Amino acid sequence: QLQLVQSGAEVRKPGSSVKVSCKTSGVTFNTFVFSWVRQAPGQGLEWMGRLIPISTAPVYAQKLQGRVTLTADKSTKTAYMELRDLRYDDTAVYYCAGVSNPTVYWGQGTLVTVSS
Amino acid sequence: DIQMTQSPSTLSASVGDRVTITCRASQNIYGWLAWYQQKPGKAPKLLIYKASSLESGVPARFSGSGSETEFTLTISSLQPDDFATYYCHQYNTDWWTFGQGTKVDI
């Protein structure tokens, strides 16, 4: 059964970085399309970018271009999302997700709090 | 980017009511649409995928319909556990987009 299990909650100071992991099981890792989505408190869902481990460069939402990096470790079947230069409005729950046709799978979410 | 317009933004209803939420895509998404239920502090819960397929374990009172650019989520008889926020989500392209959400309350 396909599962996406994310790392735990993080607290960071403004200007620092955070790296969230998403460990997979039950997927064909190299061809799985990983998407990352975030949700700020009381807000809707915002797509951040997507990565296909075997394919070309990741694609990022224009709003986050230059601050976000998506990577994948094939040996551990784990995807990562790193966000740099954190700001207070980056406080959100971050989700990894992906499509295994025809349905969509989601991780449980990782709360990232940016606080001084 | 494909824009998803969801309506209404809020919906007041009572237990037993039939509820319909609409999502309109700015271009044809070939049925690659999902519906989620979200409660405070919880991850989105998948209800419907591929526009009309009911996720395993989801009560049959939930149904999805539509094609091309117009989609609906229907709850046939609203139950107390259904008061939540609902989102539509297009995954026709790798650039996912979501509706703004519909809060269903009393």
Side-chain angles (χ1 to χ4, degrees), chain A residues 33 35 37 39 43-47 50 52 59 95 97-99 101-104 106-108, chain B residues 32 34 36 38 42-44 46 49-50 53 55 87-89 91 94-100:
Chain A
V33 181
S35 286
V37 174
Q39 186 173 36
Q43 302 300 308
L45 298 161
E46 177 187 16
W47 178 80
R50 73 102 175 104
I52 307 171
V59 176
Y95 297 99
V99 175
N101 283 340
T103 190
V104 190
W106 290 67
Q108 82 277 20
Chain B
W32 294 105
Y36 302 92
Q38 189 175 37
K42 301 293 187 182
L46 180 66
Y49 61 92
K50 201 57 168 74
S53 295
E55 172 72 350
Y87 292 95
C88 62
H89 161 213
Y91 54 108
D94 287 346
W95 287 256
W96 290 359
T97 46
F98 299 88
Q100 302 93 321

Side-chain angles (χ1 to χ4, degrees), chain A residues 94-115:
Chain A
Y94 289 76
Y95 297 99
C96 67
V99 175
S100 181
N101 283 340
T103 190
V104 190
Y105 294 87
W106 290 67
Q108 82 277 20
T110 298
L111 175 62
V112 174
T113 302
V114 182
S115 173

Side-chain angles (χ1 to χ4, degrees), chain A:
Chain A
Q1 184 176 348
L2 196 155
Q3 280 192 307
L4 306 173
V5 179
Q6 299 182 224
S7 49
E10 305 271 13
V11 179
R12 292 287 186 273
K13 293 188 183 305
S16 66
S17 300
V18 68
K19 193 170 187 177
V20 177
S21 68
C22 174
K23 187 167 178 59
T24 67
S25 59
V27 308
T28 304
F29 185 80
N30 284 350
T31 56
F32 191 71
V33 181
F34 288 94
S35 286
W36 288 84
V37 174
R38 70 178 181 176
Q39 186 173 36
Q43 302 300 308
L45 298 161
E46 177 187 16
W47 178 80
M48 301 176 66
R50 73 102 175 104
L51 168 73
I52 307 171
I54 200 173
S55 187
T56 54
V59 176
Y60 302 116
Q62 190 169 7
K63 175 182 177 181
L64 296 170
Q65 195 90 23
R67 292 206 297 134
V68 64
T69 301
L70 304 184
T71 56
D73 182 338
K74 300 180 186 66
S75 67
T76 60
K77 296 189 176 182
T78 302
Y80 297 91
M81 184 284 301
E82 181 178 29
L83 189 61
R84 299 176 295 279
D85 191 22
L86 288 167
R87 305 159 186 175
Y88 292 113
D89 62 2
D90 291 319
T91 294
V93 177
Y94 289 76
Y95 297 99
C96 67
V99 175
S100 181
N101 283 340
T103 190
V104 190
Y105 294 87
W106 290 67
Q108 82 277 20
T110 298
L111 175 62
V112 174
T113 302
V114 182
S115 173
S116 56

